[in-house]
Amino acid sequence: ELVTGLVNAKGETVSTDSLKGKIVAFYFSAHWCPPCRGFSPVLVQYYNKVNKDGKKFEVVFVSADQDEKHMYEYMKDVSMPWPATKFGSEDNSKLNDKYGVTGIPSLIVVGADGKTITAGGRGDVMAGNAIEKWTK
């Protein structure tokens, strides 16, 4: 299992069952990062558009913020409708290591089978054809 604990923007626990059988995009990002702050609203808009007729994919925010307060502020500021890994949890370091994340923002997309679909999810979302590419 890639993720052991999730929280929403209010800090409430979210079941990891919400990820089962779905394409999951791990969103490595932070409040202090200007490119992240530029991409986050685009991702929120795309997520809401694609999932309005039933959830086709889920996003999990993996925060690189300095503290928990900034993580939650960021989630609220950009109205992230998806859950996050718990701040400072082992999940964060495991995911960073597993996917070799060296810079943010980064969107790593994983299939329901756990296999990586792409490490270039950000470009796919920017191009507007992400879900088509991810479900081929």
Side-chain angles (χ1 to χ4, degrees), residues 2-52:
L2 290 173
V3 178
T4 59
L6 295 171
V7 291
N8 64 19
K10 293 178 186 148
E12 301 161 338
T13 300
V14 174
S15 171
T16 55
D17 288 348
S18 63
L19 307 180
K20 284 194 171 74
K22 291 197 183 97
I23 292 172
V24 177
F26 291 101
Y27 182 40
F28 298 84
S29 183
H31 189 267
W32 53 263
C33 160
C36 299
R37 292 185 68 79
F39 177 64
S40 290
V42 175
L43 183 57
V44 168
Q45 188 178 12
Y46 187 77
Y47 175 93
N48 289 336
K49 183 180 106 182
V50 168
N51 287 327
K52 77 176 186 303

Side-chain angles (χ1 to χ4, degrees), residues 3-5 11 14 18-19 30 34 47 53 66 76-77 82-83 85 87 93 99 101 103 105 107 110 116 125 131 135:
V3 178
T4 59
V14 174
S18 63
L19 307 180
Y47 175 93
D53 300 322
Q66 259 84 37
K76 288 174 190 152
D77 284 355
W82 51 74
T85 54
F87 184 82
S93 49
Y99 297 112
V101 175
L107 192 67
V110 178
T116 303
V125 170
I131 199 67
T135 54

Side-chain angles (χ1 to χ4, degrees), residues 51-70:
N51 287 327
K52 77 176 186 303
D53 300 322
K55 216 163 250 194
K56 295 182 179 70
F57 77 106
E58 186 56 272
V59 173
V60 172
F61 173 42
V62 184
S63 175
D65 284 299
Q66 259 84 37
D67 56 49
E68 200 170 22
K69 178 179 159 271
H70 282 103

